[in-house]
Amino acid sequence: MIFKIALLIIFVAATIYIGYYSRKKATSVDGFVLGGRKIGPWMSAFAYGTSYFSAVVFIGYAGQFGWKFGLAAFWAGLGNVIIGSLLAWFVLGRRTRIMTNHLDAKTMPEFFGKRYGSNALRIAAALIIFVFLIPYTASVYNGLGRLFGMAFAIPYEWCVIAMAVVTCIYVIWGGYSATALNDTVQGTIMLVSIVAVIVCVLNGQGGFVDAINSLATQSDATIPHGTVPGVFASMFGPDPINLLGVVILTSLGTWGLPQMVQKFYAIESESAITKGAIISTIFALVIAGGSYFLGGFGRLFSGELGTATNAAGVLVPANGYDSIIPTMLSTLPDILIGVIVIMVLSASMSTLSSLVLTSSSTLTLDFIKPVFIKDMSEKSQLVWMRGLLAVFVVISAGIALVQYNSSITFIAQLMGYSWGALAGCFLAPFLYGLYMKKASKYVTWICFAWGVGLTVANMAFGFIASPINCGAICMVASLVFFPILSAILPSGITKEHVEHCFAGYSKKVTVPATAALGAEVESQLDAPAQA
């Protein structure tokens, strides 16, 4: 216990110090929100990865989907690697950096407003972000609180409050620069820890081969195909259709999440995008792949978990899906548990900092300033963003405390609603807005209505059983109908405005030869001149 507490104190102290150290870089709006657009490939990649993977993935998704799909849950991790990381960087990275810089857009709503020539779109997007990031943030608190309860026997409420306070301190102090630097430190901790966790858990089950053999003997008569021999150790598991919904939501969904794509706004150069893509993909392979792989062995701990039948007649862990991973870890040595707690704390705080910074900056720059205080000074903008950041943390922490004793007992449900609504609204307008000149302002409004409408209707009436599948349907449908409707409906934007938006891609720039061709040819370029 002394070792665990010492690790925790060191981590919190280092996190706060980084916030204090970065304070001088957060004296302007651009510096506070985007780090002055001078974030290098390593910090950008770790900021992206640690914002992507938090306690929601490690505690919530890995546990729930590992229980439902067995080892096939690894497909979700693989989707996160290929679609959510590698393709996201190469498809969105360069064009996002160029167009947002050309339009001087600091947030996703500001991008919509300037790309589609509509201040109303900007305001609507800001409100959608503020409302639907709250349940996502609450789900992060939930996962961490459960793990702390297991490791330290600290009441859930105190865990949530302490985490909220620490996150507030370092983000308010240092803004995005503090977040990115902390993400690099926290991401390194995550990489080392997840490997150690997997090795120790499998060794506790007799090793990798024995664990696979034991998993192959598991069965569950309460789900379709649950009694097929070896189904939980098979390639596609007992329910490949619902597994596909998980892959789509958790992988493609990142393309439409403001806290994720805004990482591309801040990259210092185009060359940093390629490096960042490689680093981010490797990070995702270890963290996401490792988390879902570990969760796939959850049914081997049925004895410790206890089981019960839920209202739908399905066999579930007695204390809910969110108890699976903490139970798997509870038998590990105390020293390793301390390291794991720091790992999940790292993942969660990095995600939280990204969420609260995105929400507060969006509400200030894209709602309060254009609607209520149009002549707001830069100093006032910083004050508003820092104040709203604290407000957002308090609201989401309060929801997490209420949710802990409510009927919404699973982390994945909260995250599914949030991701589904945000990505359903923003994915298609953002992606096509970067590539397609005919992208329509009116279809963007349709996407906003579609994403919010379907999510809220499903929350109220539950006609789609899984909020994750609802989110996946939201995204895929918008990707299909956006280009079709844009070809039919008028764009609502003048040709001159569209050409202005795309002019950044063809802008001629002058760079040193080493920047254009690569530093490795510098000596070859110098040789003729010396001769």
Side-chain angles (χ1 to χ4, degrees):
M1 183 61 72
I2 293 174
F3 177 80
K4 289 188 286 188
I5 293 174
L7 274 180
L8 188 61
I9 292 173
I10 292 171
F11 174 81
V12 171
T15 298
I16 293 175
Y17 173 75
I18 288 174
Y20 175 77
Y21 172 80
S22 304
R23 72 194 188 285
K24 293 181 180 179
K25 299 179 181 179
T27 55
S28 67
V29 172
D30 195 61
F32 187 81
V33 178
L34 297 175
R37 299 186 193 261
K38 297 293 183 183
I39 307 300
W42 282 91
M43 289 176 65
S44 294
F46 274 89
Y48 185 91
T50 53
S51 296
Y52 197 165
F53 309 114
S54 66
V56 176
V57 172
F58 187 69
I59 303 295
Y61 273 22
Q64 177 168 343
F65 301 133
W67 180 274
K68 288 183 175 182
F69 307 121
L71 284 185
F74 181 75
W75 283 104
L78 195 60
N80 295 173
V81 173
I82 297 173
I83 302 172
S85 297
L86 183 64
L87 289 180
W89 277 77
F90 282 119
V91 174
L92 299 178
R94 179 178 180 274
R95 283 182 169 258
T96 298
R97 177 63 175 85
I98 293 174
M99 186 176 282
T100 57
N101 186 54
H102 177 66
L103 298 177
D104 191 27
K106 299 178 181 65
T107 64
M108 182 179 273
E110 189 173 10
F111 168 82
F112 286 134
K114 291 184 175 181
R115 168 63 181 87
Y116 293 104
S118 171
N119 200 46
L121 270 178
R122 178 181 180 180
I123 294 169
L127 291 175
I128 292 170
I129 289 171
F130 186 74
V131 170
F132 284 99
L133 278 187
I134 290 175
Y136 185 14
T137 310
S139 68
V140 176
Y141 283 119
N142 186 308
L144 189 66
R146 289 178 181 273
L147 187 63
F148 261 73
M150 178 272 292
F152 293 97
I154 299 175
Y156 174 83
E157 292 79 7
W158 286 107
C159 297
V160 169
I161 293 170
M163 185 175 175
V165 170
V166 174
T167 303
C168 259
I169 291 173
Y170 86 82
V171 181
I172 287 176
W173 246 342
Y176 185 73
S177 293
T179 299
L181 185 54
N182 261 319
D183 289 347
T184 304
V185 175
Q186 294 162 354
T188 304
I189 295 171
M190 292 166 63
L191 287 172
V192 174
S193 302
I194 191 68
V195 175
V197 169
I198 293 171
V199 171
C200 290
V201 169
L202 292 184
N203 282 341
Q205 296 296 318
F208 175 71
V209 174
D210 285 349
I212 293 289
N213 289 335
S214 297
L215 190 63
T217 65
Q218 298 292 315
S219 63
D220 186 349
T222 66
I223 61 174
H225 314 295
T227 57
V228 175
V231 68
F232 290 105
S234 66
M235 186 173 183
F236 295 108
D239 192 358
I241 300 300
N242 279 313
L243 177 59
L244 179 62
V246 174
V247 173
I248 293 172
L249 180 75
T250 62
S251 303
L252 191 59
T254 59
W255 294 32
L257 297 180
Q259 75 274 16
M260 299 300 297
V261 298
Q262 282 178 209
K263 300 295 186 291
F264 300 134
Y265 292 31
I267 299 174
E268 64 178 358
S269 65
E270 184 172 339
S271 62
I273 294 174
T274 301
K275 295 176 184 177
I278 295 170
I279 298 166
S280 179
T281 301
I282 295 172
F283 184 89
L285 180 61
V286 176
I287 301 301
S291 295
Y292 286 109
F293 177 74
L294 177 66
F297 292 96
R299 285 183 179 263
L300 297 184
F301 295 81
S302 298
E304 294 90 333
L305 287 163
T307 56
T309 304
N310 65 12
V314 177
L315 192 69
V316 299
N319 293 318
Y321 294 121
D322 301 343
S323 66
I324 296 174
I325 297 297
T327 300
M328 294 174 71
L329 303 178
S330 62
T331 58
L332 299 179
D334 278 348
I335 291 178
L336 186 56
I337 289 178
V339 174
I340 294 167
V341 169
I342 298 302
M343 177 194 74
V344 179
L345 182 61
S346 298
S348 300
M349 289 188 68
S350 58
T351 302
L352 274 178
S353 63
S354 178
L355 292 173
V356 297
L357 184 60
T358 298
S359 184
S360 64
S361 59
T362 293
L363 198 63
T364 300
L365 301 178
D366 302 308
F367 182 68
I368 294 175
K369 184 176 182 290
V371 175
F372 299 106
I373 314 175
K374 295 183 179 181
D375 59 346
M376 187 186 296
S377 66
E378 186 159 19
K379 183 178 180 180
S380 296
Q381 291 175 50
L382 289 170
V383 171
W384 272 97
M385 282 190 286
R386 288 183 163 108
L388 286 171
L389 193 150
V391 170
F392 185 78
V393 168
V394 170
I395 292 173
S396 55
I399 291 177
L401 294 175
V402 172
Q403 180 269 337
Y404 185 65
N405 296 309
S406 74
S407 59
I408 303 177
T409 54
F410 305 139
I411 293 175
Q413 283 183 283
L414 287 175
M415 185 174 171
Y417 288 130
S418 177
W419 278 41
L422 291 170
C425 289
F426 301 145
L427 172 56
F430 187 79
L431 174 62
Y432 291 119
L434 295 174
Y435 281 89
M436 194 170 75
K437 290 186 176 182
K438 291 185 178 181
S440 170
K441 174 176 67 177
Y442 303 116
V443 184
T444 300
W445 277 113
I446 293 172
C447 277
F448 285 11
W450 163 250
V452 172
L454 183 62
T455 302
V456 172
N458 193 54
M459 289 173 67
F461 304 109
F463 47 83
I464 301 175
S466 168
I468 292 167
N469 288 342
C470 178
I473 291 169
C474 256
M475 288 185 289
V476 174
S478 66
L479 284 174
V480 173
F481 71 65
F482 190 96
I484 296 173
L485 292 181
S486 290
I488 299 172
L489 299 176
S491 69
I493 316 167
T494 65
K495 184 177 180 180
E496 291 76 16
H497 180 77
V498 173
E499 293 302 326
H500 165 69
C501 292
F502 280 79
Y505 296 145
S506 56
K507 184 186 298 182
K508 295 186 181 297
V509 296
T510 302
V511 297
T514 52
L517 301 178
E520 68 275 4
V521 301
E522 184 174 4
S523 60
Q524 299 175 24
L525 291 172
D526 288 342
Q530 293 170 356

